[in-house]
Amino acid sequence: MTPAAASRIAVITGASSGIGAATARQLAAEGYRVVLTARRKDRIEALAEEITAAGGQATAYALDVTDRTAVDEFASAFKTIGVLVNNAGGALGADPIATADPAQWRQMYETNVIGTLNITQALLPALTASGDGTVVVLSSTAAHATYEGGGGYVAAKHAEHVLAETLRLEIVGTPVRVIEVAPGMVKTEEFALTRFGGDTEKAAKVYAGVAQPLTADDVAETITWAVTRPSHVNIDLLVVRPRAQASNTKIHREQ
């Protein structure tokens, strides 16, 4: 499905790596002009060059979604956009509630929840003005079920899920869809490594014995499929896991 002219701009947050970068590539291949945002300017500029070289249209814009002033300045450049993919976020730590670092909890909430709120509020007028807008919230299976050691991340992702669900109720009747995609175990180059402060051994244990965890491309394909449905079709919530993962805590690991 080729997007309508008024809806061909797609903004992707957290586009410097992983799911965000993969989504940018795939939406560009579907005919969207992608606007790549992330804090790491060098990464998104390199990705924009890659997408352009492949025949797509891409622009890089260094942005911290937790900085509301910067977000508002960024949003002021757009009269209309078709798609916003709220991908910026992440997990920090895996300590139990009794010993968890409140600073990590605060940072996760700021990035996953307030960041999503900031950019969604700022771009909602442009999404509405397009006449066919789509907001994607990339949450997690952590948004729907708890697990030990995940309290802070689970709390943040639950809040992000509630944000998406409430927004859908509040803007019904406007030409904007709200889609939530909730991935389970995804093996990317940075997620687990960031969560464990760069500890490669701990990061590797997350995926140990799992033959085929999801990839960034798997999730990006899911997002792109949902975004490119006919405009009257809303994928409210799509949970996607690898076959080896039955729940957040039930995972088949080969010996």
Side-chain angles (χ1 to χ4, degrees):
M1 171 182 166
T2 301
S7 304
R8 283 185 177 156
I9 298 173
V11 174
I12 301 104
T13 69
S16 58
S17 66
I19 294 169
T23 301
R25 291 186 184 99
Q26 293 195 29
L27 287 177
E30 289 290 330
Y32 288 89
R33 177 164 76 84
V34 294
V35 181
L36 318 174
T37 74
R39 290 173 297 178
R40 294 179 292 186
K41 186 178 179 182
D42 58 332
R43 292 279 195 103
I44 54 175
E45 286 181 342
L47 179 58
E49 290 177 4
E50 174 198 322
I51 289 171
T52 301
Q57 298 181 71
T59 304
Y61 191 103
L63 182 67
D64 179 350
V65 292
T66 67
D67 182 340
R68 185 55 188 256
T69 300
V71 167
D72 286 341
E73 182 179 349
F74 165 74
S76 69
F78 301 96
K79 291 183 178 179
T80 66
I81 68 166
V83 179
L84 167 62
V85 179
N86 284 295
N87 170 72
L92 295 172
D95 297 318
I97 300 292
T99 56
D101 182 353
Q104 289 186 333
W105 280 51
R106 189 172 292 111
Q107 186 175 342
M108 284 187 283
Y109 195 87
E110 285 286 337
T111 305
N112 291 280
V113 186
I114 303 303
T116 296
L117 176 65
N118 283 341
I119 195 78
T120 301
Q121 284 184 334
L123 288 176
L124 195 56
L127 286 156
T128 305
S130 76
D132 187 17
T134 300
V135 176
V136 178
V137 175
L138 190 75
S139 63
S140 166
T141 54
H144 303 276
T146 60
Y147 59 93
E148 293 168 291
Y153 182 60
V154 167
K157 286 300 184 181
H158 268 69
E160 200 172 11
H161 160 66
V162 169
L163 185 158
E165 195 170 61
T166 306
L167 178 63
R168 191 180 302 115
L169 293 171
E170 292 173 343
I171 65 171
V172 67
T174 72
V176 179
R177 303 180 294 183
V178 181
I179 294 169
E180 180 185 352
V181 176
M185 180 182 283
V186 185
K187 187 176 183 179
T188 63
E189 65 270 28
E190 293 187 318
F191 180 84
L193 199 61
T194 299
R195 182 169 206 167
F196 294 108
D199 189 321
T200 55
E201 185 176 345
K202 284 185 178 179
K205 285 181 179 179
V206 172
Y207 312 104
V210 180
Q212 289 183 299
L214 296 177
T215 66
D217 283 336
D218 291 329
V219 181
E221 286 175 9
T222 301
I223 293 168
T224 301
W225 175 82
V227 166
T228 56
R229 294 311 84 208
S231 60
H232 70 286
V233 177
N234 197 102
I235 308 300
D236 284 13
L237 170 63
L238 199 160
V239 177
V240 54
R241 306 181 193 265
R243 187 174 64 188
Q245 184 184 32
S247 75
N248 289 346
T249 56
K250 182 70 172 180
I251 300 168
H252 174 69
R253 298 182 189 271
E254 299 177 358
Q255 300 301 317

